[in-house]
Amino acid sequence: MTRHLIDIESLPPGDAERLIARAAALSQGAAPRACRGEIVQLFWEPSTRTRVSFEFAAHRLGLRSLAVDPERSSSTKGETLEDTCRTLAAMQPSALVVRHAEPGTPQRVADALAGTGVAVINAGDGSRAHPTQALLDAATLVDEGLDWAQARIVLLGDLRHSRVARSAFALYRRLGVPDLRMSGPSSLLPDADDPAFRGVARIEDVDSALADASVVVCLRIQRERIQALSLPDADSYHAAWGLTEARASRLQPDARVLHPGPVNRGVEIAPDVADGGRSRILRQVRMGVWLRMAVFEWVVGAAESTSSA
Ligand code: CP
């Protein structure tokens, strides 16, 4: 069996919970599974934490990771994305890790690789999905002892263009979080009928949205996905919609602040909040390695159980 991780919605029942629990266990010292093989990373968009944490995760499991730079590959000579991926798959890696600006690209790659036994892991496709970010955020909160049944989770900022938000809400719905909220300028909130935000309260007043929150996730403005946008300067944006020091000081005493990164300090979050006691930003980064190890174990374990059957 070949397992792909394309989005939260297509994960089989129970697998999201298993991946989160496995990442939390690895972070607490559980022994990683020994794996053999190669991983290819294909990032058509820039990345720091996702790409490097996939590399670290592969190395810690004994997998070799090779990064192919699309700008320096034969895709610049007219080769289609499918042919590039089929060529790489012909060298029989265990998985391709794919990031692309075009929504749906990881599924396209998975379709092109049908029958090869090579897994596809989505590292972010446009504003559609970023499943490993959602899973690592959830694992960070499990590590903190958060009770999903009591959680009140607010995502703040540019939700309209955010793949993190879409995957996060898909996951939190699956985990049974009863109180999901979003807040930000109306031009950066999604269309009212966007199904990815089903069941999420839309609260334009930031202070009301933050009241009694247990988790606040700040999101940067995704300028690379916005054609034209009229927004105030950074200081005015911060005052109106950012997690300022004053707003953070009014949060519940045990409220946690997350940010998937990269952080735009002084815009969606105050520098002292990003570095302060509520912030779990660097814990998220650390959990990213454990979670991606769990994903590789899940992918390679499925392939091995097929080949030994
Ligand atoms: N959170 C996230 O995807 O960050 P990078 O773009 O640095 O990978």
Side-chain angles (χ1 to χ4, degrees):
M1 179 180 69
T2 307
R3 276 186 178 140
H4 304 294
L5 177 49
I6 304 297
D7 49 33
I8 297 295
E9 293 84 341
S10 61
L11 272 172
D15 279 13
E17 292 84 344
R18 278 188 276 277
L19 287 167
I20 293 165
R22 180 64 180 153
L26 287 166
S27 78
Q28 288 158 16
R33 172 191 184 125
C35 299
R36 283 189 302 131
E38 290 89 20
I39 301 296
V40 177
Q41 301 222 49
L42 266 166
F43 277 59
W44 272 274
E45 269 193 344
S47 167
T48 298
R49 62 229 86 220
T50 308
R51 180 165 157 167
V52 175
S53 60
F54 269 117
E55 295 265 347
F56 270 62
H59 288 294
R60 289 184 190 174
L61 291 169
L63 293 161
R64 274 193 235 169
S65 174
L66 297 96
V68 174
D69 179 358
E71 296 296 314
R72 294 171 58 80
S73 80
S74 289
S75 62
T76 61
K77 302 177 200 165
E79 187 170 69
T80 66
L81 180 132
E82 282 83 354
D83 281 337
T84 297
C85 293
R86 281 193 204 103
T87 300
L88 294 167
M91 299 181 216
Q92 297 187 296
S94 299
L96 300 189
V97 179
V98 177
R99 170 172 285 193
H100 202 286
E102 188 63 34
T105 300
Q107 185 61 58
R108 252 176 81 194
V109 175
D111 293 344
L113 301 192
T116 65
V118 178
V120 177
I121 300 170
N122 182 3
D125 59 328
S127 57
R128 206 189 71 83
H130 195 350
T132 58
Q133 181 70 48
L135 291 164
L136 78 87
D137 289 354
T140 305
L141 294 170
V142 164
D143 217 29
E144 294 269 322
L146 190 80
D147 176 2
W148 297 122
Q150 305 294 326
R152 296 174 294 278
I153 302 182
V154 186
L155 271 64
L156 180 64
D158 178 5
L159 285 98
R160 187 178 185 85
H161 307 98
S162 174
R163 55 191 174 211
V164 172
R166 287 179 173 78
S167 287
F169 285 134
L171 182 58
Y172 294 140
R173 276 195 298 269
R174 192 181 267 223
L175 295 172
V177 177
D179 186 338
L180 296 171
R181 310 172 192 170
M182 58 179 158
S183 189
S186 55
S187 59
L188 295 181
L189 291 181
D191 291 338
D193 59 356
D194 186 333
F197 297 89
R198 176 177 46 82
V200 181
R202 183 186 183 106
I203 307 174
E204 294 199 14
D205 177 65
V206 176
D207 296 290
S208 307
L210 295 179
D212 75 4
S214 39
V215 178
V216 182
V217 184
C218 299
L219 299 171
R220 74 182 171 89
I221 304 168
Q222 317 273 305
R223 294 193 183 275
E224 68 276 25
R225 296 202 261 289
I226 302 175
Q227 309 287 329
L229 184 66
S230 167
L231 278 178
D233 60 78
D235 288 348
S236 308
Y237 181 95
H238 185 61
W241 294 293
L243 187 59
T244 60
E245 285 184 59
R247 287 192 177 112
S249 72
R250 292 194 292 271
L251 291 171
Q252 297 279 307
D254 60 350
R256 290 93 166 167
V257 172
L258 272 60
H259 193 312
V263 172
N264 289 163
R265 287 169 178 262
V267 185
E268 70 276 5
I269 186 168
D272 284 353
V273 179
D275 300 332
R278 297 181 182 285
S279 172
R280 301 293 183 266
I281 296 173
L282 294 179
R283 290 197 200 176
Q284 289 172 269
V285 174
R286 209 162 22 248
M287 188 59 81
V289 179
W290 305 120
L291 184 279
R292 287 164 180 133
M293 288 171 70
V295 169
F296 283 144
E297 288 182 341
W298 179 76
V299 162
V300 172
E304 284 176 1
S305 63
T306 310
S307 64
S308 62

